[in-house]
Amino acid sequence: MQEEIPPERKNLKRLNNDCKKCHADIHAEWTLTQHAKSWTDPVFQAEISKLEDKGASCARCHAPRALWHKEMGEIPVARDKDRDLGVNCVTCHMLGNIYFGPFDSQGHGGVEGEPVYRESTMCFSCHGQPEARREHDQMTSYLEGKAWSKDGKTCQTCHMPMVERKLVTKKSLKMKFLIGVQPVRMHSFTGARRGEIVKGCADLEVVFEGEKVVASITPRTGHSLPCTTHREVVLTVVQSDGAGQELSRQTKKYTFPDGEALPPSGTTAVAFAAAVGAKKVRATLVQVMTKTEGRPQDIRQPIQEAETQR
């Protein structure tokens, strides 16, 4: 028999504001993330407006209660109140009046350290549910690519970079023992909507091979590229003559989950016929955040470029 979920807390906004008082840096980072906007994001709101349940089924991940109500890695329980707070501090760090974190601490009357904060399993609660939402499943390609076995890389490695700073910024005698500088993870949750993580997320090489031009793409993401909807990864190969006159322009698009995406490991080679008289070739790889309801125009983000000549 499944354990009954306790009543939902009524003071979520106050709790979130209390977190801000002591963890100002972390809170400031969080406010700029898609976690903070997971319910209010205009693209998401446009999508759920088309659904019969108006997003009730989506609330499990876009406005979840504490992950600790379930086994870590299981799809969360949706909350009914304060959905505009998206995925917030309480989602990951509280259950009732118990606090959890990556290491033990005396703060809050005692924080329970849990190793799962250093594991991708925690992220799989929402980003690893292929049966519920295949378009948000980064887990499957991540595990297939075995990024977890290479240098111990986890989701946190790229999306929550390590930084040395004060975990607690409130200067009070009671918190004095927690104010020292220490290595902690940023709560920027940087994702594909942010250009700084997109740029350089794949290596690109282009060469002439006889009567062909071959572009080789090697993702560095640890999961498929792209790995969710409303975006494309576009390879463009432009061939020109010795004077720089364009002779041909060819493209290849990668999409997810219903199209072909770049696999998370290995190199994908794409061959095009060499144009007559071609002496130079320039290849570019970009991510396109595609135009959709809630996003009035395409947003192009450069990934990598390469050139060669003969």
Side-chain angles (χ1 to χ4, degrees), residues 239-248 275-281 309:
Q239 300 181 53
S240 58
D241 61 21
Q245 181 69 35
E246 183 175 316
L247 301 175
S248 72
V276 175
K279 298 296 182 182
K280 300 178 181 178
V281 61
Q309 61 183 14

Side-chain angles (χ1 to χ4, degrees), residues 67 72-74 115-129 138-140 142-143 146-149 152-160 185 221-223:
L67 301 182
M72 201 59 67
E74 293 184 0
V116 74
Y117 282 91
R118 299 182 178 90
E119 302 168 1
S120 295
T121 303
M122 189 166 194
C123 307
F124 294 164
S125 297
C126 291
H127 295 276
Q129 305 297 332
Q138 288 82 45
M139 176 192 70
T140 299
Y142 168 82
L143 294 177
K146 300 189 183 301
W148 52 270
S149 66
K153 289 184 178 179
T154 63
C155 302
Q156 294 89 324
T157 302
C158 294
H159 299 285
M160 297 182 70
R185 290 206 174 273
T221 51
H223 50 65

Side-chain angles (χ1 to χ4, degrees), residues 4 15 53 78 148 169 194 229 233:
E4 183 178 352
L15 280 169
D53 68 1
W148 52 270
T169 50
R194 303 266 290 273
T229 55
V233 170

